[in-house]
Amino acid sequence: MESIEIQKRVSENLRKIRKSKKMTQLDLAIKCDMSEAMIKNIELNRSWPSEKTLSQITNALGIDVYRLFLPLAIDFEKEREIKLSVKDEITKCLRKYLEEKLNSMELR
């Protein structure tokens, strides 16, 4: 993979994640303690962020840095829905298991 493709991926994912969190570039800039122009330039692929800047941005977004490097086809909102669905299913299974165990203990 070419470095320009990686830069494009980071830029587009940053914009997509920021928007999915309903943040403006200014909101993110304030939360990162950097300028709005810096966020804009990264999103437009005009500048490449340092490791420190990437860390500030991902901390402000509440994500792990690897998410900026995922393939562009990843739908972050869909990913969130899937995680919630899996969590709900695990919770149901655990409840059922615990109820069965408790019921079997009461019968003894």
Side-chain angles (χ1 to χ4, degrees):
M1 174 174 270
E2 297 288 323
S3 93
I4 191 70
E5 292 169 326
I6 294 169
Q7 290 174 347
K8 181 179 178 187
R9 181 179 287 187
V10 169
S11 297
E12 291 185 20
N13 281 337
L14 172 57
R15 180 176 33 259
K16 192 173 188 177
I17 294 167
R18 175 184 57 76
K19 286 183 175 186
S20 77
K21 294 187 177 282
K22 304 204 181 337
M23 295 174 77
T24 65
Q25 289 177 339
L26 180 59
D27 294 334
L28 181 57
I30 290 168
K31 202 166 180 183
C32 294
D33 193 30
M34 59 183 63
S35 71
E36 181 181 10
M38 171 71 93
I39 300 297
K40 181 178 184 175
N41 285 332
I42 294 168
E43 286 189 3
L44 292 174
N45 201 15
R46 292 181 183 155
S47 66
W48 180 249
S50 67
E51 290 173 18
K52 180 182 176 188
T53 301
L54 279 175
S55 177
Q56 288 173 280
I57 290 170
T58 55
N59 285 338
L61 291 170
I63 62 168
D64 291 319
V65 72
Y66 78 88
R67 291 189 63 197
L68 294 177
F69 294 89
L70 291 173
L72 295 173
I74 298 289
D75 182 345
F76 294 103
E77 195 55 40
K78 187 70 172 171
E79 177 186 358
R80 182 174 151 1
E81 291 173 18
I82 291 169
K83 285 180 181 178
L84 289 174
S85 174
V86 168
K87 179 184 168 189
D88 289 344
E89 286 302 314
I90 291 171
T91 302
K92 286 177 192 174
C93 289
L94 283 173
R95 282 190 181 132
K96 183 178 178 185
Y97 173 79
L98 289 173
E99 286 174 8
E100 289 172 359
K101 287 298 177 186
L102 289 172
N103 287 337
S104 71
M105 290 173 67
E106 290 174 2
L107 296 174
R108 291 182 186 178

